[in-house]
Amino acid sequence: MIERYRNSFNTLFTKEKYLEFIHNLEEGFVKIPFRVAETPVFIPKALEKQLIAAGAELIALIKQPDFKTLTNDAIPAAWNVANENDHPHFLSFDFGICKDDQGNLLPKLIEMQGFPSLYGFQAHLANTYKTTFNLPHHLSPYFNGLNEAQYIDLLKSIILGKHQPHEVALMDVDAPEQKTLIDFLITKQFLGLKILSLTDIFKEGQNLFYQENGKKVQLKRIYNRLVFDEIADQTALFKGNFDPREALDIEWITHPNWFYRISKYTMPFLKTEFVPETHFLNTLTAIPADLENYVLKPLFSFAGKGVIIDVTLADIHNIKDPQNWILQRKVIYEPVVQAPEGGIKVEIRLMYLWPDGQEPKLCINLTRLSRGKMIGVSYNKDFDWVGGTVGLMER
């Protein structure tokens, strides 16, 4: 979107250079199972300022004293985890890039998460774009004046806290099989922590342990990457290991309840130019006449699962649990990134770290490019110049 960088990048781009970029990205780690885009996004200063302002408005709601009361019903009773803390350590806000009535770029909120994102991979991704494509040194994926070393130090302080790396585990249901494994491996390289599957961890009393070289090692903290929705029908995994919902002598980074509190559930409470009109389906007093301008989303889903884009009256009447759905005005993405063949739609994820006793800090971003109806790598498999990428800003 910064024209001089875009024109230069497109002029010099070759498919051979892209293959070299992917090789460099994967080297020493693992083959990436999701599509990475051919290009970064060059974010202009005006849009950067708007993104920061939009994020600040959302943070203000989350910091309200009654926020927990407001969102208590967001947490499914079956997945309410004990010992919740005061705030999430990670926040992510996804904004579709649109245009206002005057033709200016405008971010519109699509999704929000109180859950970790690809905090390791995005730093590596930005470096690899810059080195492979020989991009200017002063282009940065970081906000708030951070450089890479400062960012990794902050990430380390959030995830490890006062503990030693071997006392902290990045945990997912089956960690080596996750599509985000490359992020796990980069995070391990940065911080030295363990990567464990749920079934690698066992309980004695209220404490959690794992085995290494025939020895029992106590865990003090879990960097949680497990989405409970993904194991709703696999609770047998807990038998003989541990049940995450119990009161345990463990620190959660971030506590699992925040995945639900800060989610699509939060969006109907937000009234700002940066948030599309959103309603809980069970609170609608009248169904909009222009349903073609709305999208129907399940509250408790991940990665776009269950979303109905072309909504009909029949879709609404067929919903058996309207309290678990939202109806949201569609966001019209503007194809603002110029590829060799046409414009591409953009979504920018702002990624925050929130240290205990401090304010949330906007740190880095994750950006996605799309030609399809929905943003996301799984909805753009047959296109090029789409997929996961990163926004770079002038510093």
Side-chain angles (χ1 to χ4, degrees):
M1 289 181 277
I2 302 178
E3 190 172 0
R4 64 184 180 279
Y5 299 127
R6 172 53 52 216
N7 290 343
S8 174
F9 188 94
N10 288 11
T11 299
L12 297 173
F13 178 84
T14 65
K15 289 184 177 179
E16 291 74 21
K17 183 61 81 171
Y18 175 67
L19 293 176
E20 178 188 345
F21 160 72
I22 294 296
H23 170 78
N24 294 341
L25 198 60
E26 295 174 338
E27 189 174 20
F29 295 108
V30 67
K31 187 172 180 61
I32 299 170
F34 53 85
R35 195 173 200 287
V36 179
E38 282 81 345
T39 179
V41 172
F42 304 107
I43 299 176
K45 181 60 69 174
L47 179 58
E48 178 189 345
K49 288 180 178 178
Q50 282 196 311
L51 287 164
I52 292 169
E57 291 193 15
L58 307 186
I59 295 286
L61 173 75
I62 293 166
K63 291 182 65 183
Q64 286 180 188
D66 64 342
F67 183 75
K68 278 197 172 184
T69 302
L70 202 65
T71 57
N72 275 339
D73 290 342
I75 307 168
W79 294 111
N80 199 330
V81 176
N83 299 328
E84 184 180 326
N85 65 331
D86 292 333
H87 64 76
H89 295 90
F90 304 90
L91 287 169
S92 295
F93 304 144
D94 292 351
F95 292 94
I97 305 306
C98 312
K99 281 191 176 179
D100 63 18
D101 294 339
Q102 287 74 47
N104 301 310
L105 297 182
L106 179 70
K108 283 280 191 179
L109 185 68
I110 304 299
E111 187 84 72
M112 54 198 307
Q113 296 177 351
F115 190 77
S117 188
L118 305 183
Y119 282 86
F121 179 69
Q122 289 306 113
H124 175 58
L125 180 61
N127 273 341
T128 309
Y129 273 122
K130 290 176 67 174
T131 55
T132 306
F133 291 99
N134 196 28
L135 298 177
H137 177 72
H138 66 270
L139 291 175
S140 172
Y142 302 107
F143 296 87
N144 281 308
L146 289 173
N147 59 33
E148 181 179 342
Q150 292 167 332
Y151 170 70
I152 293 173
D153 282 347
L154 181 57
L155 194 64
K156 182 176 182 179
S157 70
I158 292 282
I159 295 176
L160 298 186
K162 64 181 184 294
H163 304 295
Q164 295 301 309
H166 69 273
E167 297 175 317
V168 181
L170 185 160
M171 182 194 75
D172 208 328
V173 59
D174 188 2
E177 299 302 318
Q178 296 300 308
K179 289 184 178 181
T180 51
L181 177 60
I182 190 167
D183 177 69
F184 298 176
L185 296 172
I186 293 167
T187 303
K188 180 179 181 179
Q189 184 181 83
F190 286 163
L191 309 183
L193 81 181
K194 303 299 296 182
I195 300 174
L196 299 177
S197 299
L198 175 71
T199 51
D200 293 328
I201 302 171
F202 59 94
K203 185 181 76 161
E204 291 186 3
Q206 300 308 112
N207 298 318
L208 298 181
F209 300 86
Y210 66 96
Q211 290 278 349
E212 185 169 65
N213 299 324
K215 294 184 178 180
K216 185 172 66 175
V217 182
Q218 185 176 351
L219 281 175
K220 302 294 182 65
R221 181 177 280 212
I222 290 177
Y223 175 32
N224 182 49
R225 302 296 292 268
L226 170 61
V227 177
F228 285 157
D229 288 9
E230 294 181 350
I231 60 166
D233 58 351
Q234 301 178 56
T235 52
L237 291 170
F238 300 158
K239 295 178 181 178
N241 299 291
F242 81 105
D243 189 331
R245 297 166 292 188
E246 295 179 0
L248 301 164
D249 186 12
I250 196 74
E251 297 173 10
W252 291 99
I253 306 297
T254 195
H255 193 282
N257 287 0
W258 290 104
F259 173 80
Y260 297 103
R261 289 191 184 278
I262 300 173
S263 64
K264 290 186 286 290
Y265 187 93
T266 320
M267 294 183 66
F269 302 110
L270 297 163
K271 310 298 179 186
T272 162
E273 65 171 329
F274 301 116
V275 180
E277 173 195 346
T278 308
H279 304 276
F280 292 112
L281 192 57
N282 66 321
T283 66
L284 273 180
T285 55
I287 297 173
D290 58 338
L291 271 180
E292 69 275 9
N293 293 321
Y294 288 80
V295 60
L296 196 57
K297 298 180 177 181
L299 285 176
F300 308 116
S301 70
F302 197 61
K305 293 177 182 175
V307 173
I308 301 173
I309 300 175
D310 300 311
V311 185
T312 66
L313 276 172
D315 291 325
I316 291 179
H317 293 317
N318 286 336
I319 299 297
K320 300 295 189 281
D321 54 344
Q323 72 279 9
N324 292 327
W325 290 75
I326 57 170
L327 188 69
Q328 183 180 89
R329 182 167 284 278
K330 283 182 180 176
V331 170
I332 307 302
Y333 291 80
E334 189 71 19
V336 294
V337 168
Q338 186 61 45
E341 297 179 2
I344 305 174
K345 295 177 284 189
V346 183
E347 190 169 287
I348 298 175
R349 173 175 294 176
L350 301 183
M351 296 161 59
Y352 296 74
L353 294 172
W354 194 341
D356 289 329
Q358 299 182 39
E359 294 295 306
K361 192 177 188 72
L362 176 56
C363 295
I364 197 168
N365 73 89
L366 183 157
T367 300
R368 290 180 287 199
L369 301 181
S370 174
R371 297 181 193 263
K373 273 192 171 184
M374 289 181 68
I375 295 280
V377 291
S378 58
Y379 301 98
N380 288 269
K381 291 178 180 177
D382 299 325
F383 302 110
D384 61 2
W385 284 67
V386 298
T389 181
V390 68
L392 299 177
M393 298 162 284
E394 291 184 307
R395 293 290 177 257

